[in-house]
Amino acid sequence: MFQHLFAEMNKMLQEIQTDFPTAEGARRSDLLSKYNMLHRISDNVMDEWLVFAEKLSEFREQADFQAPPEELPEEEAPELGMDAFVRGQGYYKLLMYRKCIEQFREVTAQYPDSLAARLYLAMAYLQEGEGEIAWGHLDHMLGLIREVKLKAMIYNALGCIRASQERFKEASELFSLSLLHDPDLPEPSVNLEVCRRRGGKLEFGHQLVSLL
C-alpha cells in the first residue's frame, strides 16, 4: 500500500537532487520547501513504522504460533527476528542509509555470517559512497556462499567497485570470474566493455538489488 507514496517521494527527491545545484531565487525556495516536506513525511512515517514494528515484535515474543511455510525457519536465520534487522530494512527502504548501517552493524555483531545483513550493509555503504567498506562486506559474503549464481552477482558487484575506482585491470578479472560462475549473467559482459573503453555506465545488477 506504500508503493505509490514512496514512488512519488522518490520522484520528488530526484527532482530536487537534479535541479537544486543550479536553482536560484523562487525555484530554489520551492525545492527547499519540497525537501523539508519530504523530511517531515519521512520522519513521521518512520516514527509510526517503528511503533508498529515494536508492537509486532512484542506480539511475536508473546504468541506461540507456527511461522508460515514460505518463511525461513527460525533456526536457519534467527537474525531475521531481531528488531535491529526489521528496523534496518525499514531505514533502507526509506533511503536513510546511515541509520540502516547502524542497525545492521548491530545484527552482524551478533551474527557475523548473516548473508542478508552483510548485503544490506554493502548496499547501504555503496549508497553512502564508501566503496571500500562495501567491498569488505561483499568479500565476506563470498566465503559463505555456495550458490554459483549468487557468487557471480557478488563478483560483478566487486568488479563495479574497482571499476568505479578506475582500477580496470582488477575489475576486468572480477567480471571474468563472474562470467565463469554464471555465463548467462548479462551485466559482467557489459562491464567488461566499460573496462576496455575505460569509461561508460556500469551495470551493477538488478537481480542482486532485488534480493533486498
Side-chain angles (χ1 to χ4, degrees):
M1 72 180 76
F2 295 111
Q3 285 89 341
H4 179 70
L5 171 63
F6 289 125
E8 291 300 317
M9 289 174 67
N10 277 300
K11 181 178 178 181
M12 187 177 295
L13 179 59
Q14 183 62 51
E15 175 191 353
I16 295 169
Q17 290 174 323
T18 301
D19 294 353
F20 191 78
T22 57
E24 297 179 354
R27 176 57 174 162
R28 190 178 182 87
S29 297
D30 178 57
L31 291 173
L32 282 171
S33 177
K34 287 182 177 179
Y35 169 80
N36 289 329
M37 180 185 67
L38 287 178
H39 203 286
R40 288 194 301 272
I41 293 174
S42 176
D43 287 345
N44 290 338
V45 169
M46 180 52 68
D47 288 343
E48 293 296 329
W49 184 83
L50 288 174
V51 170
F52 174 77
E54 188 70 26
K55 291 179 179 178
L56 197 62
S57 177
E58 290 175 0
F59 172 73
R60 184 175 60 245
E61 292 174 0
Q62 296 171 1
D64 181 18
F65 59 88
Q66 185 68 33
E70 66 271 17
E71 293 184 4
L72 288 173
E74 180 112 0
E75 61 271 19
E76 288 187 23
E79 69 272 24
L80 299 183
M82 291 181 64
D83 290 343
F85 194 102
V86 177
R87 286 194 296 268
Q89 285 181 308
Y91 283 130
Y92 187 90
K93 291 176 181 178
L94 290 173
L95 313 182
M96 300 170 70
Y97 300 116
R98 188 53 58 184
K99 288 186 175 293
C100 169
I101 288 167
E102 292 174 3
Q103 297 301 316
F104 281 110
R105 285 182 65 183
E106 183 179 329
V107 176
T108 54
Q110 188 168 344
Y111 297 97
D113 290 342
S114 169
L115 289 175
R118 291 280 178 181
L119 183 57
Y120 270 108
L121 277 171
M123 298 307 231
Y125 275 117
L126 282 174
Q127 293 289 350
E128 289 290 296
E130 299 182 50
E132 280 303 312
I133 302 179
W135 172 284
H137 291 291
L138 292 170
D139 189 55
H140 187 95
M141 291 175 67
L142 276 178
L144 306 172
I145 296 169
R146 297 180 181 177
E147 206 273 310
V148 292
K149 189 174 185 65
L150 181 54
K151 273 198 172 186
M153 289 189 278
I154 297 297
Y155 276 121
N156 181 68
L158 291 171
C160 287
I161 292 175
R162 287 295 179 251
S164 67
Q165 298 167 339
E166 298 187 351
R167 296 164 65 171
F168 294 112
K169 185 176 184 298
E170 294 175 58
S172 296
E173 293 172 355
L174 289 161
F175 294 136
S176 297
L177 278 172
S178 178
L179 286 172
L180 184 65
H181 282 79
D182 185 2
D184 296 326
L185 194 65
E187 290 86 1
S189 297
V190 175
N191 294 331
L192 278 170
E193 181 64 17
V194 171
C195 289
R196 187 187 68 80
R197 297 186 322 190
R198 297 294 193 267
K201 183 179 179 182
L202 294 165
E203 295 290 338
F204 194 87
H206 297 297
Q207 294 180 44
L208 184 61
V209 176
S210 70
L211 296 176
L212 300 177

